[in-house]
Amino acid sequence: MPSSILGPISFIGLLVLSNVFMTFAWYAHLKNLSDKPWWIAALLSWAIAFFEYALQVPANRIGFEHYDLAQLKITQEVITLAVFVPFSILYMGQPFKLDFVWAGLCLLGAVYFIFR
């Protein structure tokens, strides 16, 4: 595989992994720790978020070699939605909403305008 493609692939892969950790850090306590005090949920979330940051920082450094700052942010938002929707449905048991599709289409518009 050409080295020019490895950076963007690494950037995307690290962002996906980072977002999995972030989504669990931000929302899993609502299902798993709802009977515990908020500070226990916060401490556990911070522990999980460490791994999010450990992946996010190198992802952004790699990505910034290929994209500008706005492109990094829009990519992050698209990946966030792509991770959040399955998490919401499969892990949290939330129903699928057509609004997920509309939000995704809006993000595709944002991708178009940022990357054109």
Side-chain angles (χ1 to χ4, degrees):
M1 189 172 295
S3 62
S4 62
I5 194 80
L6 288 178
I9 288 175
S10 299
F11 164 62
I12 299 293
L14 288 169
L15 277 184
V16 169
L17 292 173
S18 169
N19 270 275
V20 169
F21 281 106
M22 183 234 5
T23 302
F24 274 89
W26 283 15
Y27 302 110
H29 64 89
L30 299 172
K31 178 179 180 179
N32 301 325
L33 299 173
S34 61
D35 59 336
K36 304 288 187 223
W38 72 267
W39 59 270
I40 291 175
L43 288 174
L44 183 59
S45 292
W46 288 339
I48 295 169
F50 168 81
F51 296 101
E52 181 230 337
Y53 280 98
L55 296 166
Q56 180 77 19
V57 171
N60 282 333
R61 286 179 174 231
I62 293 167
F64 198 55
E65 294 174 6
H66 303 275
Y67 306 109
D68 67 32
L69 194 59
Q71 291 170 331
L72 292 180
K73 183 59 181 170
I74 291 301
T75 303
Q76 167 67 31
E77 295 305 325
V78 169
I79 290 171
T80 296
L81 186 62
V83 169
F84 177 77
V85 170
F87 170 85
S88 175
I89 295 166
L90 299 174
Y91 188 79
M92 296 296 287
Q94 298 291 302
F96 175 81
K97 295 181 180 180
L98 198 53
D99 291 341
F100 294 150
V101 175
W102 305 135
L105 289 173
C106 288
L107 282 174
L108 287 178
V111 167
Y112 169 77
F113 286 111
I114 291 296
F115 280 89
R116 69 181 173 144

